[in-house]
Amino acid sequence: MDQEAAQLEKQHVHAVYESTASDFSALQSKAWPRVRQFLLEQRPGSLVADIGCGTGKYLKVNSQVHTLGCDYCGPLVEIARNRGCEVMVCDNLNLPFRDQGFDAVISIGVIHHFSTKQRRIRAIKEMARVLVPGGQLMIYVWAMEQKNRHFEKQDVLVPWNRALCSQLCSESSPSRTGRPCGHPCDPLCSDGGCSVCFKERRSSTRSHSVDCAPAGPGTCCASISKEGEEENGFYHAIGKSFRSWFFSRSLDESTLRKQTERARPMKNPEVWANSTVSVQPARHSRLGSDHQEPFSTREGSFDEEVFMETSPQSLGWLKVESTVTHFNGDCQRIVRRKGSGGFLGSDDAEDCEDAGHSGGGGPAARRTFRSVCASSPAGSGTDHAASVGEQQDTADPRVFMRYYHVFREGELCGLLKENVSDLHVVSSANDHGNWCVIAEKKVNRD
Amino acid sequence: MKLLTHNLLSSHVRGVGPRGFPLRLQATEVRINPVEFNPEFVARMIPKVEWAALLEAADTLHLVEVPQGPIQDYEHDENFLRKMHHVLLEVDVVEGTLQCPESGRLFPISRGIPNMLLNDEETES
């Protein structure tokens, strides 16, 4: 399962960051105030490691400490380097450091990219290993529970549309209508803006100076928790794309499921389609190609479309006939490995060929994710796949998808307490839709 | 890559453990980057330095005037601190390699960035 996990991360984390790294540099990103504070509180002369540093936005926060940035993504590290930071390329699961070298470690928006519990634990253990006794580790992960709502499931694929990213960068200040940005963006805006809503805008008239001094234009992360934020005119352009969020069964669950299924044979290809990738439907049957109402006229609707509403109106999960899109060019391919059962679940290899991860090689499996919607208005809760044909956006080669495991309240703390015995949780809080935990390495009492 | 960074790096090839430190440094391009001198900062770094590793690396780079170890009352010795400041923070290996002393595995340094990624076969599982 670890190989599947690595493969999932390769496709839905590393490949995406590598391909979109150049976009990051065009977007200013926010430095979370709590992280800044944590860094500024370190004693002068401390050695600090930023594991998953991206473009290095935290590396120069405190000039009195020596901060080393590490990231798996070469292109991001290059950007940080060009800014004058001391950085390296390495793997959180195998940190190339001697034991107990660092006074503090930060992990901001990183371990939610690991696709199994064991890998998340391993990442944390590695960071604990390189800490001096008494040293502190700060971890930020995306929370399942967002303001007033929560993700339907914990394992999420978040689309990133590169075209919209560059469009945003060139946009001048849009009109403001006061509607909250309110979408489930990556609150951590890891390295350059939200994956969904690029609220970053050089000419933004709204400053979020209360949050962070050097970060420039506020991010959607800041706005997600504020009422009456300026509307992101960006949404006019989104169309259907960002309503097609994908949720997946976690690899941990898949493994468990496979184990139980060995007792009974797999019946038909639909079984796995039903159980693995499912698409959160748009609440108001928006995914039909003939419904193109401007998004901006609806209050907070995007948010509702991907989050579980507490009202009984919410549609149930619709099953999707899942196929893999063959993207062109430098775009990411969502590939189901033959027989591996991987990320997309099943062991059924009948209607899928391994499209291959690189190059054009062999016949590519032409499979497309189909966004489905209920043909009836919101609230009908239909439970069958009503395909509306191939959606432009999901076949859009400019869409990348990043994998996240969003954390429930208490999950991160629990993970630490139960699995990492040399760390002791000092504090835990929800910060703008993220769980933020500070843990300290225990001192041996010999 | 600064020598302070090198001082923290260790190989994580499977089975190597603590014998992966220090990495053997080879450099084909080195630059000197002026960094603002902060004596208190440098003084606090001194206890964290693994001296043998530092001296080995400095020797490979043919650096001169490298203190052989902490001297008495080093916190107030500006001359000592300036030398350490230079060695730890201003010498920058732009191109080169880092070699695991146990397995021989080479890690490249390109454009000042060490790449410490291992293949699947090489990592501890």
Side-chain angles (χ1 to χ4, degrees):
Chain A
M1 204 240 306
D2 205 55
Q3 209 182 354
E4 289 173 1
Q7 185 63 23
L8 186 167
E9 290 157 21
K10 188 173 176 184
Q11 291 171 5
H12 292 288
V13 179
H14 305 310
V16 180
Y17 278 114
E18 278 175 33
S19 302
T20 56
S22 56
D23 299 329
F24 285 141
S25 59
L27 298 167
Q28 295 183 50
S29 56
K30 166 181 170 151
W32 288 98
R34 273 186 198 240
V35 181
R36 286 178 48 80
Q37 190 189 345
F38 179 81
L39 291 168
L40 291 167
E41 284 170 359
Q42 298 305 314
R43 290 180 57 202
S46 293
L47 281 171
V48 179
D50 180 349
I51 308 296
C53 67
T55 53
K57 65 175 173 275
Y58 294 116
L59 300 179
K60 294 191 171 184
V61 165
N62 186 346
S63 59
Q64 298 297 301
V65 304
H66 184 80
T67 310
L68 197 49
C70 313
D71 203 283
Y72 196 97
C73 175
L76 289 176
V77 170
E78 298 270 353
I79 292 168
R81 180 71 188 177
N82 291 337
R83 293 173 47 191
C85 302
E86 183 73 352
V87 283
M88 69 179 64
V89 177
C90 68
D91 184 350
N92 195 164
L93 300 179
N94 287 287
L95 291 176
F97 299 122
R98 53 179 166 94
D99 293 359
Q100 302 185 13
F102 291 97
D103 300 293
V105 175
I106 61 173
S107 167
I108 311 303
V110 179
I111 66 170
H112 56 202
H113 282 310
F114 286 108
S115 54
T116 67
K117 184 178 167 185
Q118 284 310 311
R119 287 166 79 86
R120 295 186 281 267
I121 292 168
R122 200 166 134 204
I124 296 170
K125 282 187 166 174
E126 270 292 277
M127 294 188 286
R129 179 182 66 78
V130 305
L131 265 177
V132 299
Q136 290 196 332
L137 165 63
M138 170 179 265
I139 301 176
Y140 256 67
V141 292
W142 205 357
M144 187 176 181
E145 304 88 345
Q146 297 293 317
K147 187 185 178 193
N148 299 328
R149 52 204 82 220
H150 59 91
F151 280 98
E152 171 78 8
K153 290 192 178 183
Q154 284 188 268
D155 296 278
V156 190
L157 279 176
V158 175
W160 163 295
N161 189 313
R162 175 183 253 169
L164 294 168
C165 169
S166 37
Q167 180 182 345
L168 183 76
C169 286
S170 58
E171 250 183 2
S172 49
S173 53
S175 58
R176 295 160 59 165
T177 66
R179 184 175 69 83
C181 162
H183 72 77
C185 65
D186 177 353
L188 302 180
C189 281
S190 44
D191 303 296
C194 171
S195 56
V196 179
C197 162
F198 299 101
K199 195 156 171 67
E200 308 277 7
R201 196 171 290 124
R202 293 199 183 96
S203 55
S204 168
T205 53
R206 176 76 57 125
S207 85
H208 303 283
S209 54
V210 65
D211 284 337
C212 46
T219 72
C220 52
C221 311
S223 67
I224 194 174
S225 63
K226 293 182 183 175
E227 296 302 317
E229 284 295 316
E230 62 179 343
E231 181 201 5
N232 185 3
F234 181 68
Y235 273 107
H236 290 288
I238 291 178
K240 297 169 295 206
S241 308
F242 295 101
R243 297 176 203 151
S244 307
W245 284 56
F246 298 90
F247 291 83
S248 85
R249 186 172 290 270
S250 79
L251 285 186
D252 291 316
E253 284 178 50
S254 291
T255 303
L256 199 61
R257 202 169 156 273
K258 268 185 249 171
Q259 283 164 2
T260 42
E261 266 161 14
R262 276 193 197 109
R264 48 181 168 81
M266 188 81 79
K267 297 223 168 52
N268 53 45
E270 275 153 48
V271 172
W272 74 268
N274 286 347
S275 61
T276 52
V277 180
S278 48
V279 175
Q280 171 94 33
R283 277 198 87 192
H284 302 278
S285 307
R286 228 136 250 285
L287 297 179
S289 52
D290 47 343
H291 287 293
Q292 292 281 0
E293 289 171 18
F295 189 71
S296 58
T297 59
R298 300 168 56 221
E299 291 297 314
S301 54
F302 179 77
D303 198 19
E304 291 166 358
E305 285 170 5
V306 295
F307 283 129
M308 181 66 161
E309 281 301 317
T310 49
S311 82
Q313 296 278 347
S314 58
L315 292 169
W317 283 106
L318 296 186
K319 310 305 194 297
V320 70
E321 225 181 277
S322 157
T323 48
V324 174
T325 300
H326 176 83
F327 292 129
N328 296 316
D330 61 347
C331 304
Q332 184 183 17
R333 299 181 196 203
I334 302 166
V335 177
R336 184 168 87 71
R337 287 158 66 94
K338 189 189 238 176
S340 71
F343 170 59
L344 298 183
S346 124
D347 291 311
D348 174 44
E350 190 181 333
D351 53 353
C352 163
E353 289 175 38
D354 190 344
H357 188 61
S358 59
R366 311 267 342 165
R367 311 181 83 212
T368 321
F369 282 111
R370 293 199 174 137
S371 301
V372 294
C373 68
S375 50
S376 45
S380 64
T382 56
D383 204 20
H384 58 270
S387 170
V388 291
E390 213 147 295
Q391 292 298 317
Q392 249 73 353
D393 46 41
T394 50
D396 187 337
R398 296 164 298 168
V399 175
F400 298 90
M401 297 211 287
R402 275 191 287 179
Y403 169 84
Y404 290 87
H405 170 89
V406 295
F407 282 71
R408 292 178 184 273
E409 181 166 8
E411 182 181 340
L412 182 56
C413 281
L415 209 66
L416 284 161
K417 285 171 187 164
E418 285 154 34
N419 300 282
V420 191
S421 55
D422 50 358
L423 285 181
H424 148 76
V425 175
V426 168
S427 72
S428 171
N430 186 300
D431 185 10
H432 293 89
N434 304 292
W435 294 116
C436 165
V437 167
I438 298 176
E440 197 170 286
K441 185 149 176 187
K442 293 176 185 168
V443 179
N444 288 334
R445 299 166 192 202
D446 290 335
Chain B
M1 184 201 70
K2 298 176 198 257
L3 289 189
L4 177 54
T5 302
H6 168 264
N7 206 253
L8 293 159
L9 289 174
S10 179
S11 164
H12 272 262
V13 172
R14 193 201 312 259
V16 153
R19 297 180 307 282
F21 178 86
L23 294 167
R24 284 197 206 109
L25 173 63
Q26 284 296 315
T28 52
E29 187 185 335
V30 179
R31 223 178 273 163
I32 305 297
N33 288 327
V35 174
E36 193 183 322
F37 175 59
N38 183 333
E40 289 85 24
F41 177 82
V42 180
R44 286 186 205 270
M45 285 293 158
I46 302 301
K48 301 178 210 274
V49 170
E50 287 284 331
W51 281 91
L54 179 68
L55 294 177
E56 199 181 301
D59 194 52
T60 312
L61 301 182
H62 310 295
L63 299 182
V64 295
E65 296 205 42
V66 180
Q68 297 296 298
I71 59 174
Q72 195 174 11
D73 200 34
Y74 66 82
E75 301 97 322
H76 304 107
D77 188 324
E78 187 177 317
N79 187 40
F80 171 86
L81 291 175
R82 279 193 179 273
K83 286 179 185 172
M84 292 306 298
H85 166 84
H86 179 77
V87 171
L88 289 170
L89 301 173
E90 292 189 325
V91 177
D92 194 15
V93 178
V94 178
E95 300 289 328
T97 58
L98 296 162
Q99 186 173 40
C100 173
E102 180 78 0
S103 70
R105 213 283 197 184
L106 288 167
F107 300 95
I109 305 170
S110 314
R111 291 179 295 281
I113 302 168
N115 187 328
M116 308 304 296
L117 293 178
L118 294 167
N119 304 325
D120 290 339
E121 309 83 54
E122 293 171 302
T123 57
E124 320 262 4
S125 54

